Amino acid sequence: MLTFESLVETADFARKWVPFCKKFSIEPRAPEFYFSQKIDYLKDKVQPSFVKERRAMKRDYEEFKIRINALVAKAQKTPEEGWTMQDGTPWPGNNTRDHPGMIQVFLGYSGARDIEGNELPRLVYVSREKRPGYQHHKKAGAENALIRVSAVLTNAPFILNLDCDHYVNNSKAVREAMCFLMDPQVGRDVCYVQFPQRFDGIDRSDRYANRNTVFFDVNMKGLDGIQGPVYVGTGCVFNRQALYGYGPPSMPSLPKSSSSSCSWCGCCSCCCPGKKAPKDPSELYRDAKREELDAAIFNLREIDNYDEYERSMLISQMSFEKTFGLSTVFIESTLMENGGVAESANPSTLIKEAIHVISCGYEEKTEWGKEIGWIYGSVTEDILTGFKMHCRGWRSIYCMPLRPAFKGSAPINLSDRLHQVLRWALGSVEIFLSRHCPLWYGFGGGRLKWLQRLAYVNTIVYPFTSLPLVAYCSLPAICLLTGKFIIPTLSNLASVLFLGLFLSIIVTAVLELRWSGVSIEELWRNEQFWVIGGVSAHLFAVFQGFLKMLAGIDTNFTVTAKAADDADFGELYIVKWTTLLIPPTTLLIVNMVGVVAGFSDALNKGYEAWGPLFGKVFFSFWVILHLYPFLKGLMGRQNRTPTIVVLWSVLLASVFSLVWVRINPFVNTANSTTVAQSCISIDC
């Protein structure tokens, strides 16, 4: 009810806001972020009426916020009898787990227009049907429902996918994507255009690597040179035909010995009869299912000549209903490569059909979530969806405009960040244990390039690096506590070679990232959080994934928040106790204790033990240095003497105390030999 009423207010405000943005080329077009900018808003605005209209618009926006806040306050207390609408009838969605499908068109065709009388972009409220006993597949299921609704109502050939916590920062972003998707040569084979994720409200040092700069500015750029970047779940413009499970209109020639791929997944070489490669190498193959469509009813000008009964018969004959579901209107829309709704369509009929395609049983015995739309089976449905597209032969594009296309909010405190990383890692483990694992899926037809496959393998195996990483972080402390060393005793030459190798790895990484425009600080933050996430979230994801996929046990890590009162970045200092904090905390304590024990042991053994000690302590401090942001986050608030200072003081005090005990001249330093000799000379 709150979402619905908020959209009512938003639609009313948009009638003023949209023409204002277009008239003065406002950026960004999210009013909250536009009005909160601390810049000279008169720059490049030469119209004399701008100041007056901006003040009026800001006043309208403040009133809009008051109305929205009133709705939020009202929604805090749900009436016992449930919500009622303005006409007195009960709100159909009072039971969030058992309600019918709902659709309301606010703006656009047959909807409200702006204050200048121009048609506004379509704004539609959609709430899919929910019934007990049906699997709704969360985000992936919601997006599949939206694909079908939009196909019935508007059927635009391209789809923009954004998370709810992102906003459009660059109004030209969609045009940037269209330059690729509508390119006469490249566009036919492009399944989506992915934009990098950028975030607001992150502290200057980016303590927990929320910006993820190395991934978005280095890795994704590299993938753009192969078959394209992976789909990251938001900031992506799709070709609708690619979401329907079709292959690209043109495919590279296949070798004579290879057989045609499976009509949907492009991976099975045994389910379809073999096809010989054409004599002319420049001739291109079309996807097997697309060829069937072409042979039957792909010519829309011809299908328009059929009556309703003949159209239904043709569609049934092609077994489209087993793939797309029981909706003739939707199936016809899938055959329109350039989009658009049939001119003969009745708007009232379309609304009924749109409600039908969001019913909870519509996807039963169809290919939804298996081969078409967003793919089910993992909490990271974005990786699976993009992977299936690349397996069919599509390629993707990475677009990085100078002005960031979209911006969002990042989980800023330590616990939220670790839980976000846990969800991503768990999704990767789920894919690794499923039939869609890139190690063995999608080999038929050779449509997925080997380097692209290697990139996808990297996206699913990285959680397993947590096992050797935990050993890596534990060994220095074990060596200090036991008196052993990580590596055997080296000669001077071998030590120089080892240090040279160690330094060359660091220098190479720094140079590569500098060439990519990534600062050394961002590299270091990325390395630190890779260790923090590796020994906590990735480790738990591996065990949770195996328990869930093999034993059917779904574990949950509870989060308890401890509030912080700081004004600036107050959320950064919130401590939310969760099980994920235990492994890195243990590693920190063990390494600190190991340092103290190492110094104590060296003091007892004499100066000869100090050389090996520095080697052991170096590795231990290297681990502590990587876990330092975690330690700061664990300490919480910083507006008084930080607890971390106390901890380091205790550590240093312990070391200096032991040193003082060793060098104190008043302490008896006689060894056992001198004591024995003195005992012999005593006349008993």
Side-chain angles (χ1 to χ4, degrees):
M1 188 70 174
L2 175 62
T3 306
F4 182 85
E5 291 187 340
S6 298
L7 278 180
V8 174
E9 294 290 347
T10 302
D12 184 59
F13 177 72
R15 297 177 63 244
K16 303 175 183 177
W17 175 251
V18 172
F20 172 75
C21 289
K22 289 182 176 179
K23 182 176 180 181
F24 298 109
S25 301
I26 298 299
E27 296 284 1
R29 297 194 175 181
E32 179 67 21
F33 295 94
Y34 170 69
F35 288 120
S36 62
Q37 290 182 117
K38 297 179 180 179
I39 60 173
D40 181 13
Y41 63 83
L42 292 177
K43 186 178 180 181
D44 300 328
K45 299 293 187 297
V46 295
Q47 297 91 332
S49 61
F50 172 68
V51 175
K52 181 179 179 181
E53 291 191 37
R54 186 185 185 278
R55 288 175 180 170
M57 185 54 60
K58 188 173 183 180
R59 189 163 51 247
D60 289 338
Y61 178 62
E62 293 298 330
E63 294 174 357
F64 165 73
K65 287 172 63 177
I66 292 172
R67 294 193 297 270
I68 293 294
N69 289 333
L71 292 175
V72 173
K74 174 185 173 184
Q76 299 296 324
K77 300 178 181 179
T78 306
E80 294 183 1
E81 65 279 5
W83 300 107
T84 56
M85 295 187 287
Q86 292 182 356
D87 58 0
T89 57
W91 171 247
N94 278 322
N95 187 344
T96 56
R97 298 184 178 181
D98 187 3
H99 64 79
M102 293 174 278
I103 294 178
Q104 174 68 46
V105 179
F106 289 110
L107 300 175
Y109 181 78
S110 73
R113 295 175 177 265
D114 65 25
I115 56 177
E116 297 177 357
N118 300 317
E119 186 174 329
L120 287 164
R122 187 72 58 93
L123 177 62
V124 182
Y125 170 83
V126 178
S127 178
R128 55 191 171 130
E129 183 184 18
K130 296 286 184 67
R131 300 298 179 197
Y134 286 91
Q135 177 60 261
H136 301 110
H137 301 290
K138 301 179 182 177
K139 177 182 175 180
E143 290 183 297
N144 282 339
L146 285 173
I147 295 175
R148 298 192 292 272
V149 170
S150 63
V152 171
L153 297 181
T154 55
N155 198 33
F158 307 111
I159 297 173
L160 170 62
N161 164 229
L162 279 182
D163 276 354
C164 59
D165 59 350
H166 280 63
Y167 67 92
V168 179
N169 185 63
N170 182 355
S171 62
K172 303 293 190 300
V174 177
R175 182 178 295 180
E176 298 257 6
M178 293 303 106
C179 290
F180 296 104
L181 290 165
M182 300 182 71
D183 185 275
Q185 296 180 348
V186 179
R188 301 181 68 197
D189 294 335
V190 175
C191 54
Y192 59 81
V193 176
Q194 177 68 61
F195 292 87
Q197 290 190 37
R198 303 299 187 210
F199 301 99
D200 284 322
I202 298 176
D203 59 303
R204 184 174 298 176
S205 64
D206 193 13
R207 181 186 297 179
Y208 307 129
N210 279 296
R211 293 191 178 91
N212 219 349
T213 312
V214 174
F215 175 75
F216 286 113
D217 288 22
V218 181
N219 297 5
M220 295 285 272
K221 278 183 180 180
L223 291 176
D224 195 43
I226 311 173
Q227 201 171 340
V230 299
Y231 167 44
V232 297
T234 182
C236 190
V237 180
F238 282 95
N239 180 341
R240 185 184 285 270
Q241 292 291 308
L243 286 168
Y244 289 155
Y246 297 129
S250 58
M251 291 297 302
S253 301
L254 299 176
K256 292 183 179 181
S257 59
S258 59
S259 55
S260 63
S261 63
C262 175
S263 57
W264 288 109
C265 63
C267 66
C268 179
S269 60
C270 60
C271 60
C272 299
K275 291 186 179 180
K276 293 184 178 180
K279 294 181 180 179
D280 183 2
S282 64
E283 186 176 350
L284 303 176
Y285 272 104
R286 296 178 66 85
D287 184 82
K289 180 60 71 174
R290 178 71 75 182
E291 291 176 355
E292 294 177 10
L293 301 180
D294 287 342
I297 50 175
F298 204 72
N299 190 333
L300 286 179
R301 288 173 296 181
E302 185 176 339
I303 201 174
D304 287 339
N305 297 327
Y306 296 123
D307 58 27
E308 188 69 29
Y309 175 76
E310 290 173 327
R311 269 202 298 267
S312 300
M313 288 298 294
L314 282 170
I315 290 171
S316 298
Q317 289 171 8
M318 294 299 299
S319 300
F320 275 84
E321 292 179 352
K322 295 180 181 179
T323 303
F324 294 113
L326 300 173
S327 172
T328 305
V329 176
F330 174 74
I331 292 171
E332 282 191 46
S333 73
T334 66
L335 307 176
M336 305 173 71
E337 281 189 294
N338 298 320
V341 179
E343 296 180 0
S344 58
N346 185 349
S348 60
T349 306
L350 293 181
I351 289 291
K352 293 180 181 178
E353 196 66 26
I355 292 177
H356 168 59
V357 300
I358 58 172
S359 59
C360 57
Y362 182 83
E363 294 183 359
E364 286 190 348
K365 298 180 180 180
T366 67
E367 297 295 329
W368 284 102
K370 301 172 185 175
E371 300 296 341
I372 62 176
W374 272 259
I375 307 301
Y376 306 148
S378 171
V379 294
T380 51
E381 72 290 327
D382 46 4
I383 297 292
L384 264 183
T385 304
F387 177 59
K388 298 276 278 190
M389 292 179 181
H390 285 132
C391 283
R392 297 185 191 110
W394 294 95
R395 76 148 300 166
S396 54
I397 298 290
Y398 198 49
C399 183
M400 299 180 68
L402 292 178
R403 180 182 179 87
F406 311 104
K407 283 189 174 183
S409 56
I412 197 169
N413 64 66
L414 177 61
S415 303
D416 286 346
R417 178 75 167 113
L418 288 178
H419 273 268
Q420 182 190 57
V421 173
L422 172 65
R423 186 174 62 83
W424 293 343
L426 178 59
S428 295
V429 175
E430 288 175 341
I431 297 173
F432 178 82
L433 298 174
S434 72
R435 71 184 185 93
H436 291 117
C437 178
L439 289 170
W440 51 73
Y441 183 86
F443 278 95
R447 297 177 178 180
L448 186 67
K449 295 184 179 180
W450 279 103
L451 284 177
Q452 190 78 13
R453 181 180 300 280
L454 187 62
Y456 273 109
V457 169
N458 180 57
T459 63
I460 63 156
V461 300
Y462 74 88
F464 296 95
T465 61
S466 59
L467 301 176
L469 189 59
V470 170
Y472 176 87
C473 294
S474 304
L475 278 175
I478 294 173
C479 293
L480 285 167
L481 293 171
T482 61
K484 306 293 183 181
F485 198 34
I486 275 182
I487 55 178
T489 304
L490 299 177
S491 64
N492 292 335
L493 178 60
S495 300
V496 172
L497 291 175
F498 175 78
L499 287 174
L501 177 63
F502 188 78
L503 293 174
S504 66
I505 293 173
I506 296 177
V507 172
T508 303
V510 170
L511 286 176
E512 287 177 346
L513 291 166
R514 291 301 297 153
W515 290 330
S516 301
V518 177
S519 67
I520 296 177
E521 181 184 10
E522 289 171 323
L523 162 67
W524 178 237
R525 286 284 179 260
N526 183 80
E527 290 295 312
Q528 284 180 311
F529 199 80
W530 176 72
V531 174
I532 295 169
V535 299
S536 57
H538 297 173
L539 184 66
F540 276 81
V542 171
F543 290 106
Q544 186 180 358
F546 275 101
L547 287 173
K548 182 177 181 181
M549 301 302 292
L550 302 179
I553 302 173
D554 194 2
T555 55
N556 184 31
F557 304 103
T558 57
V559 177
T560 305
K562 181 181 177 182
D565 301 325
D566 303 68
D568 295 332
F569 300 109
E571 192 183 352
L572 183 69
Y573 310 124
I574 295 176
V575 179
K576 297 182 179 181
W577 295 108
T578 170
T579 320
L580 297 178
L581 302 179
I582 296 175
T585 305
T586 303
L587 288 172
L588 273 168
I589 294 174
V590 168
N591 276 280
M592 288 181 176
V593 171
V595 170
V596 176
F599 274 99
S600 175
D601 186 60
L603 289 170
N604 290 328
K605 290 183 179 179
Y607 73 92
E608 293 181 354
W610 286 90
L613 173 67
F614 286 120
K616 299 174 186 178
V617 170
F618 168 78
F619 286 107
S620 196
F621 269 106
W622 186 243
V623 172
I624 295 173
L625 204 58
H626 276 83
L627 294 173
Y628 182 72
F630 173 83
L631 188 58
K632 287 185 68 177
L634 205 61
M635 296 304 104
R637 292 177 55 182
Q638 302 286 302
N639 59 354
R640 57 175 179 267
T641 304
T643 313
I644 188 172
V645 175
V646 178
L647 288 176
W648 279 108
S649 300
V650 171
L651 175 63
L652 294 175
S654 303
V655 173
F656 289 136
S657 298
L658 291 169
V659 173
W660 173 252
V661 167
R662 181 61 184 169
I663 65 175
N664 190 350
F666 298 103
V667 176
N668 186 10
T669 59
N671 56 33
S672 58
T673 305
T674 57
V675 171
Q677 291 175 350
S678 63
C679 288
I680 293 173
S681 63
I682 297 176
D683 185 5
C684 296

